[in-house]
Amino acid sequence: MSQFAKNLLLWIIVAMVLMSIFQHYAETEPPAQEMMYSEFLDAVRNGRIESVEIQATSGGKRLTGQTTNGQAFEVFAPPDDQGLIADLENNDVDHRAVPPEGRSILVDIMISLLPVLLLVFLFVYFMRQMQGGMGGRGGAMSFGKSRAKLQGEDQVKITFADVAGVEEAKDEVVELVEFLKNPGKFQRLGGNIPKGVLMVGPPGTGKTLLARAIAGEAQVPFFSISGSDFVEMFVGVGASRVRDMFETAKKHAPCIIFIDELDAVGRHRGAGLGGGHDEREQTLNQLLVEMDGFEGHEGIIMIAATNRPDVLDPALLRPGRFDRQVVVPLPDLKGREQILGVHMKKIPVDESVDARVIARGTPGFSGADLANLVNEAALFAAREDCKAVTQEHFDRAKDKIMMGAERKSMVMSEDDKRLTAYHEAGHAIVGRIVPEHDPVYKVTIIPRGRALGVTMFLPEEDKYSLNKTQIESQLASLFGGRVAEELIYGKAKVTTGASNDIERATAIARNMVSKWGLSDVLGPLSYDENEDEVFLGRSVTQHKNVSDETHRLIDKEVRKIIDGAYTRAREILTEYDQQLHLMADALMQYETIDARQIDQIMDGNEPDPPAGWDDKPPRSPGPDDSGDAAEASGSPATGET
């Protein structure tokens, strides 16, 4: 119930109480007996009426009085009866006239004040609505107020036990909890806790969750706001909200202020082609001033999160403001296992499920990705009315996330399916033969996502860098699909299915030459052009750092690398021609094969049926759905870098 409704209900209750008191203390009279006028005249003439009071009304006369036996009566007489007074006097009846009934003074006062009170009420109501009061979320007069959401110390239930996979980051912020609980421990030795902590990391790694866990562990109020909530179309509104937020936070100290997506308001100043005094810069300036204005002993800690630290203004990152940066990276194998353990506690999991096996098969997954994986597995189990989530459900959920959902409604012709089978078999065989390549995890010709077929590679362990051999092996496997089409169907029948492979291979080869220094001709130099955008606060003009002659050398080297990878893929598939046909036939029969079956094919043997196959036929062929999806086919592993 809103505050306005509560106030209205209170006034109604007060009015009802007052009315009951007035009625209780009002004078009470004995009930009067109603009498017909003819009966009254007969009683007057017979001497049964002792006294009468005559009161004029709008419709006649109201007669009240007593009979000779003390009974009160009430009679309504017509207004034009002129003989009534004569009858009363002739029969010796005491009579007197009383003035018409008037309204009470209280009623008169209320009626006279009612229009004024109504106008005052409407004025107050609309003013409070404009200021965001009376249950409103905000109004025209409240745009300068802070949009930060306050959670009390008893409302934040998240603790460090709910955050897994970021142990180093948790170690960095543990002392913040100790400072909020016992600030005297640090001030006694003259130390000051950092005023601001900037959490940096890819999306979904748990930066916001970690900030909430700090407040939950310290049991302090938690103010949360997004960087975009500061900026409005009116200049000065964001600065006003920053001031209001810090003033409110000081009243609740010790507390935590958390700004998510700090780059929305903290980008480099001086960006853009116009003047520098726009709304965002005014807001950033006020934020810098406020962070300088409060001291560490006030018990306010500013925590911000961003995945774009490169675009932040340097003034934000200097000591005294955000003077500590906490990196929240993607979790490693152990971290992924811990995160899966946290999320698996929320669902019934079968005893056969091994979190470590799932963690090994999900390299590069963030905490949010793993939470989504567990949720998808639970949904698969719910669709089948299972009592617990099994390992098979997790495997299907992983395939859906990494390769896309199966497009079961899409019907392909037999020729298109066989071409896709050779394409994916080419990727798998080349990736299996070249050195230091990620192992082949699964090959399928079931349309998933935007692809007609997928070859999935999964690394055996987490990788943080690639050497030249690994990159060249990736290039060869990328061209395996196109080379397989060319060897089987001829150059005239090569399809557009390798468009994504060619795009990725070209980007990798160009990076080898111009960015990574892996070209013997051009050496370890960076030949990247200045690609800084205007909104980053960099120069508008593009500076040419590379001569035309060097550009020609770069293009020549890129072409040399691509031609070498293409030739290498052709040599491998020519040598393993038997395995190429075996794998394509297996894909046509089973539609999906795994690493065990691929090993059997590479040994020159027919692969065993998949587990639970039971000789079920593949999906019935039909006319091809459309030609657009063919451009996305043949994309190798989602797990590749």
Side-chain angles (χ1 to χ4, degrees), residues 158-463:
I158 298 174
T159 63
F160 285 151
D162 301 310
V163 184
V166 286
E167 300 303 322
E168 294 81 4
K170 284 199 291 188
D171 294 340
E172 286 281 333
V173 298
V174 163
E175 64 180 20
L176 298 180
V177 178
E178 296 181 3
F179 171 78
L180 291 169
K181 288 184 176 180
N182 184 19
K185 174 182 177 181
F186 298 89
Q187 296 169 359
R188 186 168 55 249
L189 298 177
N192 291 321
I193 206 68
K195 290 183 180 180
V197 177
L198 180 63
M199 295 186 179
V200 180
T205 51
K207 300 182 288 296
T208 303
L209 188 67
L210 185 57
R212 291 185 182 274
I214 297 173
E217 288 284 344
Q219 292 294 300
V220 295
F222 183 77
F223 290 86
S224 61
I225 191 171
S226 173
S228 60
D229 288 333
F230 290 110
V231 182
E232 289 282 357
M233 63 179 293
F234 304 107
V235 176
V237 173
S240 175
R241 289 177 179 174
V242 171
R243 287 191 296 268
D244 184 72
M245 180 181 66
F246 277 91
E247 290 175 2
T248 307
K250 289 177 183 178
K251 298 176 183 177
H252 293 82
C255 64
I256 290 176
I257 298 176
F258 176 69
I259 302 178
D260 200 6
E261 304 298 340
L262 180 65
D263 51 279
V265 69
R267 287 181 181 271
H268 198 291
R269 287 173 290 182
L273 301 177
H277 296 286
D278 61 358
E279 164 65 359
R280 185 187 56 78
E281 293 194 7
Q282 295 280 21
T283 306
L284 175 57
N285 291 336
Q286 186 63 43
L287 180 62
L288 297 175
V289 171
E290 291 292 338
M291 292 191 69
D292 273 341
F294 70 90
E295 300 296 333
H297 63 268
E298 291 186 356
I300 301 175
I301 293 180
M302 172 80 74
I303 301 178
T306 181
N307 49 29
R308 294 292 307 277
D310 54 311
V311 304
L312 295 180
D313 192 277
L316 274 174
L317 306 179
R318 74 159 175 82
R321 287 177 178 142
F322 287 108
D323 40 16
R324 175 175 295 186
Q325 294 191 24
V326 177
V327 179
V328 187
L330 292 172
D332 56 10
L333 175 60
K334 182 179 179 182
R336 293 195 298 273
E337 183 179 358
Q338 294 173 348
I339 294 173
L340 286 170
V342 170
H343 293 295
M344 285 181 180
K345 293 179 182 178
K346 304 175 184 178
I347 62 173
V349 180
D350 190 78
E351 296 179 355
S352 62
V353 175
D354 190 347
R356 187 169 185 83
V357 173
I358 302 173
R360 289 191 63 182
T362 53
F365 273 43
S366 65
D369 294 329
L370 294 172
N372 187 35
L373 171 66
V374 175
N375 182 64
E376 289 289 346
L379 293 179
F380 276 121
R383 293 190 192 109
E384 300 174 0
D385 293 329
C386 298
K387 296 182 179 180
V389 184
T390 63
Q391 186 74 31
E392 180 187 358
H393 295 139
F394 280 101
D395 291 339
R396 289 162 59 187
K398 179 176 63 176
D399 291 345
K400 179 180 179 181
I401 294 174
M402 300 180 75
M403 297 189 295
E406 293 185 5
R407 299 166 61 186
K408 297 181 179 180
S409 61
M410 183 176 182
V411 182
M412 298 172 58
S413 67
E414 196 73 13
D415 293 338
D416 288 334
K417 287 180 64 176
R418 182 164 292 278
L419 185 144
T420 304
Y422 277 110
H423 186 110
E424 301 305 329
H427 284 306
I429 293 174
V430 175
R432 184 74 160 66
I433 298 302
V434 292
E436 299 187 36
H437 196 283
D438 294 333
V440 183
Y441 162 67
K442 186 176 292 187
V443 184
T444 179
I445 59 172
I446 299 175
R448 285 180 174 269
R450 294 180 298 171
L452 297 183
V454 179
T455 301
M456 178 70 65
F457 301 96
L458 279 182
E460 295 178 334
E461 57 186 12
D462 294 332
K463 293 183 178 180

Side-chain angles (χ1 to χ4, degrees), residues 493-567:
K493 297 294 184 179
V494 173
T495 67
T496 60
S499 60
N500 181 258
D501 304 329
I502 296 173
E503 181 180 349
R504 294 172 59 190
T506 304
I508 292 174
R510 189 165 294 277
N511 285 335
M512 289 178 64
V513 176
S514 61
K515 184 181 294 185
W516 300 333
L518 297 179
S519 169
D520 296 333
V521 175
L522 294 170
L525 291 176
S526 176
Y527 297 98
D528 267 356
E529 294 286 359
N530 183 10
E531 297 178 353
D532 291 330
E533 302 291 344
V534 176
F535 70 87
L536 298 185
R538 304 295 193 261
S539 174
V540 179
T541 60
Q542 296 288 327
H543 299 287
K544 186 176 181 180
N545 299 325
V546 181
S547 66
D548 294 337
E549 181 63 28
T550 305
H551 267 303
R552 283 191 288 270
L553 284 175
I554 292 174
D555 293 339
K556 185 178 180 180
E557 279 294 292
V558 171
R559 182 58 184 265
K560 178 182 177 182
I561 294 173
I562 294 296
D563 289 344
Y566 200 90
T567 302

Side-chain angles (χ1 to χ4, degrees), residues 21 27 85 149 157 163 169 204 404 456 472:
I21 292 175
E27 295 183 0
I85 301 300
K149 298 177 182 178
K157 305 298 183 181
V163 184
M456 178 70 65
E472 290 175 344

